[in-house]
């Protein structure tokens, strides 16, 4: 399938490169000319020409505002539009309606990778919106990495994308707090991370599935480590203070855990705190 790529920033260029490397005939357009380097692609003079060139058009621009700006000047009739620009669920829904109104088919995407990962099995791209568009474009999208179609609701890819980043920042927060603690005694952070933290976290990952099942069922009854026990032993706050490390990252979490115990749910497992977020 011949393909157009709109946007040759760091990510757009990685996407175009992956297409070219897999032998796809690719047309590109970028607002600022001269960004394709020596890529073997066809250059469209205008965005309108780039949309006219191929039925499948992949966009990867800075934000939804730039996507709207480009879509405003082009004809999307009978086009399959795959938007890999990071967006919110509301923006994805708006763009999907806009494209449908103008006679095109819209698929939204969330890239869970950095540019150097594109085209490797480590890259995951989440998709949602028109299933027909996904099926039509799937062979081309395979060039970018693993692909997951999440459903017809256009905002689902964006929601899951942001949820995954939320999980990632939780892990990053725990990591920097732990590193701040050990370095107070001169422990090399790389050594601590490689020999202790990563094996510990890896061992805990499978437990997330059990916690997820508790959230799905609404039954948080603790079997091994209930909330009462966990807040009674708030060594994180005590040791952090003793070592002169701020508890700004851990305190909000422990505040929620204590509140849940005060509400009478001390016999619950940790995932019970989700009820204070929803
Ligand atoms: N880089 C990453 O690690 C990464 C990872 C996951 C997802 N993403 C997502 O991928 C998207 C692109 O990221 P990037 O790293 O490629 O960003 P980038 O290098 O800053 O490139 C931005 C692109 O958007 C274009 N653009 C900006 N405003 C525009 C407008 N009003 N009209 C037309 N074109 C416009 C730029 O064109 P000019 O060249 O003319 O400025 C450029 O092609 C973002 O939504 C980002 O969140 C990036």
């Amino acid at each position: 399938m011949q393909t157009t790529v709109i946007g040759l920033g760091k990510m757009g260029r990685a996407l175009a490169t992956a297409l070219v490397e897999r032998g796809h005939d690719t047309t590109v357009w970028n607002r600022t000319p001269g960004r394709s380097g020596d890529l073997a692609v066809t250059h469209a003079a205008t965005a309108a020409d780039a949309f006219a060139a191929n039925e499948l058009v992949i966009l990867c621009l800075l934000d939804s505002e730039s996507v709207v700006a480009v879509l405003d000047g082009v004809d999307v009739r009978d086009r399959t539009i795959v938007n890999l620009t990071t967006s919110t669920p509301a923006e994805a829904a708006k763009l999907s309606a806009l494209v449908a109104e103008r006679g095109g088919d819209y698929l939204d995407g969330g890239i869970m990778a950095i540019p150097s990962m594109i085209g490797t099995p480590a890259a995951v791209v989440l998709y949602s919106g028109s299933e027909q568009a996904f099926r039509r474009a799937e062979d081309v999208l395979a060039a970018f990495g693993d692909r997951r179609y999440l459903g017809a609701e256009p905002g689902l890819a964006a929601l899951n994308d942001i949820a995954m980043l939320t999980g990632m920042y939780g892990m990053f927060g725990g990591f920097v707090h732990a590193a701040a603690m050990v370095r107070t005694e001169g422990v090399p952070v790389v050594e601590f991370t490689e020999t202790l933290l990563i094996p510990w976290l890896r061992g805990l990952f499978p437990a997330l599935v059990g916690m997820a099942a508790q959230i799905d069922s609404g039954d948080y009854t603790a079997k091994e480590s209930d909330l009462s026990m966990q807040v009674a032993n708030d060594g994180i706050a005590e040791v952090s203070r003793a070592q002169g490390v701020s508890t700004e990252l851990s305190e909000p979490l422990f505040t929620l855990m204590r509140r849940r115990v005060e509400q009478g749910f001390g016999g619950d497992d940790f995932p019970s705190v989700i009820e204070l977020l929803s």
Side-chain angles (χ1 to χ4, degrees):
M1 202 171 184
Q2 297 181 332
T3 308
T4 286
V5 174
I6 303 288
L8 293 175
K10 291 175 279 301
M11 187 55 90
R13 208 161 40 235
L15 300 174
T17 303
L19 292 176
V20 170
E21 279 172 356
R22 280 155 192 79
H24 294 289
D25 193 346
T26 308
T27 298
V28 299
W29 178 82
N30 191 65
R31 180 181 60 177
T32 308
R35 290 272 157 88
S36 58
D38 54 5
L39 260 188
V41 290
T42 304
H43 294 88
T46 64
D49 290 346
F51 274 73
N54 296 308
E55 192 213 312
L56 175 59
V57 181
I58 298 171
L59 294 105
C60 189
L61 300 173
L62 187 62
D63 53 17
S64 287
E65 234 170 81
S66 31
V67 174
V68 171
V70 168
L71 290 180
D72 268 349
V74 302
D75 186 357
V76 299
R77 257 175 308 168
D78 302 323
R79 292 292 172 267
T80 297
I81 309 292
V82 180
N83 181 23
L84 298 183
T85 306
T86 301
S87 51
T88 65
E91 286 168 341
K94 227 172 174 174
L95 286 166
S96 176
L98 183 88
V99 169
E101 215 171 82
R102 297 187 190 169
D105 213 3
Y106 183 86
L107 183 68
D108 201 78
I111 301 175
M112 308 309 298
I114 55 173
S116 58
M117 288 163 71
I118 296 297
T120 74
V124 177
V125 185
L126 310 176
Y127 295 99
S128 59
S130 165
E131 184 166 5
Q132 214 182 328
F134 178 70
R135 299 289 164 223
R136 219 179 290 129
E138 201 178 355
D139 287 347
V140 173
L141 302 178
F144 304 145
D146 193 6
R147 57 223 171 274
R148 311 282 176 89
Y149 177 73
L150 302 176
E153 188 62 49
L156 276 174
L159 178 69
N160 282 272
D161 177 335
I162 298 296
M164 286 168 77
L165 292 178
T166 305
M168 178 190 82
Y169 277 112
M171 183 176 77
F172 284 178
F175 163 68
V176 291
H177 190 163
M181 287 168 92
V182 294
R183 80 171 180 178
T184 58
E185 298 298 335
V187 176
V189 177
V190 168
E191 188 187 313
F192 165 73
T193 304
E194 283 183 340
T195 62
L196 295 174
L197 186 62
I198 290 178
W200 161 243
L201 290 177
R202 200 178 275 135
L204 282 172
F205 275 137
L208 289 180
V209 180
M211 292 189 188
Q214 287 185 315
I215 292 169
D216 280 343
S217 71
D219 179 0
Y220 303 110
T221 312
K223 291 187 187 69
E224 295 183 276
S225 323
D226 66 23
L227 278 173
S228 298
M229 178 278 290
Q230 292 189 49
V231 300
N233 295 293
D234 187 4
I236 294 176
E238 199 180 317
V239 176
S240 295
R241 281 188 207 106
Q243 297 297 128
V245 169
S246 166
T247 58
E248 283 169 283
L249 282 170
S250 60
E251 202 42 45
L253 194 53
F254 274 81
T255 300
L256 286 175
M257 290 159 72
R258 281 190 293 268
R259 200 189 312 156
R260 197 66 181 149
V261 172
E262 281 157 23
Q263 287 178 343
F265 297 99
D268 279 1
D269 256 332
F270 177 79
S272 165
V273 297
I274 195 174
E275 300 305 337
L276 295 174
L277 301 181
S278 299

